[in-house]
């Protein structure tokens, strides 16, 4: 068994809310630590993971609010739908396109059409950015991380709105993120 195979992966399904919160805070601390040490590639990769996670969480909340998911499907983060008995998986971009069309997010401050389109465009070039930076390790700079963290904060606003709406409707469940 290689060292990579020895890494203990954690299924968040079995974590308490408190433990998930601590792990989330630890990830943000790691991002900030790498950023402060000018290790922008590591900071960038951690921030992408944070961004993908909060996009997924917001997507699942909205699916539950729209009665497209049951509480159990939301809790288990079911990331597929069945079409002709075949599972079709949602990818991050699919989730963003779905969020972009949600009326819940339209108010004077938020502009989901343009904000989420910017994030979709980023995900279109994400792998290229990461893989090509290997050949030019210093190509990622603080401004790249700043832009990504700004996008994370935008999605966090949408996430808070979806959480508030769940509470208003009296929907409570033990979330997996």
């Amino acid at each position: 068994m290689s060292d990579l195979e020895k890494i203990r992966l954690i299924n968040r399904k079995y974590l308490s809310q408190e433990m998930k919160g601590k792990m989330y805070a630890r990830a943000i601390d790691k991002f900030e630590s790498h950023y402060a040490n000018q290790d922008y590639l590591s900071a960038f990769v951690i921030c992408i993971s944070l961004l993908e996670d909060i996009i997924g969480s917001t997507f699942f909340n909205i699916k539950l609010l729209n009665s497209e998911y049951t509480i159990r499907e939301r809790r288990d983060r079911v990331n597929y739908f069945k079409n002709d008995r075949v599972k079709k998986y949602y990818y991050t971009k699919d989730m963003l396109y779905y969020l972009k069309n949600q009326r819940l997010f339209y108010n004077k401050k938020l502009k989901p059409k343009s904000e989420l389109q910017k994030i979709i465009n980023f995900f279109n070039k994400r792998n290229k950015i990461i893989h090509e930076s290997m050949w030019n390790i210093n190509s990622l700079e603080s401004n790249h991380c700043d832009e990504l963290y700004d996008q994370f904060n935008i999605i966090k606003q949408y996430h808070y709105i979806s959480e508030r709406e769940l509470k208003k409707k009296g929907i409570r469940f033990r979330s997996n993120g």
Side-chain angles (χ1 to χ4, degrees):
M1 179 182 287
S2 74
D3 286 343
L4 190 56
E5 292 171 311
K6 292 178 187 174
I7 294 175
R8 191 174 131 229
L9 301 176
I10 296 175
N11 183 345
R12 73 170 116 210
K13 190 176 193 173
Y14 303 105
L15 297 175
S16 69
Q17 286 301 106
E18 182 183 354
M19 189 63 186
K20 282 183 253 181
K22 286 179 182 177
M23 293 175 96
Y24 200 77
R26 201 175 320 152
I28 291 174
D29 289 346
K30 272 287 190 200
F31 164 79
E32 291 171 349
S33 172
H34 287 298
Y35 185 91
N37 292 327
Q38 297 182 351
D39 180 4
Y40 299 123
L41 180 57
S42 297
F44 193 80
V45 170
I46 290 170
C47 198
I48 285 173
S49 188
L50 286 166
L51 178 59
E52 285 179 315
D53 191 69
I54 202 158
I55 288 168
S57 187
T58 306
F59 170 81
F60 297 123
N61 284 350
I62 296 300
K63 285 288 214 178
L64 179 59
L65 279 168
N66 291 341
S67 301
E68 295 175 52
Y69 275 8
T70 64
I71 289 176
R72 182 178 184 154
E73 288 171 321
R74 165 59 186 99
R75 186 184 62 238
D76 293 345
R77 294 177 68 110
V78 173
N79 66 341
Y80 60 85
F81 64 96
K82 288 190 178 175
N83 186 0
D84 299 325
R85 291 185 231 146
V86 175
K87 284 184 181 178
K88 303 264 184 166
Y89 286 89
Y90 290 108
Y91 296 100
T92 304
K93 283 193 314 186
D94 299 325
M95 293 176 184
L96 285 164
Y97 280 117
Y98 179 84
L99 294 176
K100 196 166 109 169
N101 296 313
Q102 298 304 306
R103 292 201 177 281
L104 172 66
F105 299 135
Y106 286 85
N107 64 39
K108 291 178 182 176
K109 292 181 183 176
L110 300 174
K111 298 174 183 75
K113 292 273 188 203
S114 59
E115 291 170 337
L116 296 175
Q117 187 59 51
K118 183 178 179 181
I119 297 171
I120 290 166
N121 293 341
F122 166 77
F123 274 98
N124 285 332
K125 58 185 176 181
R126 162 192 60 175
N127 285 347
K128 184 176 182 179
I129 292 168
I130 292 172
H131 293 296
E132 288 189 6
S133 68
M134 184 186 93
W135 302 108
N136 183 5
I137 204 73
N138 295 322
S139 61
L140 280 172
E141 298 173 349
S142 63
N143 62 320
H144 297 106
C145 294
D146 294 340
E147 181 181 349
L148 188 58
Y149 200 71
D150 288 345
Q151 292 171 349
F152 168 74
N153 283 321
I154 287 168
I155 295 294
K156 209 162 46 170
Q157 291 176 45
Y158 295 115
H159 184 73
Y160 291 147
I161 290 169
S162 69
E163 292 282 317
R164 277 195 309 268
E165 287 301 309
L166 286 170
K167 284 180 185 172
K168 277 186 195 175
K169 287 191 171 188
I171 300 172
R172 301 203 188 293
F173 60 96
R174 190 175 152 261
S175 170
N176 287 336

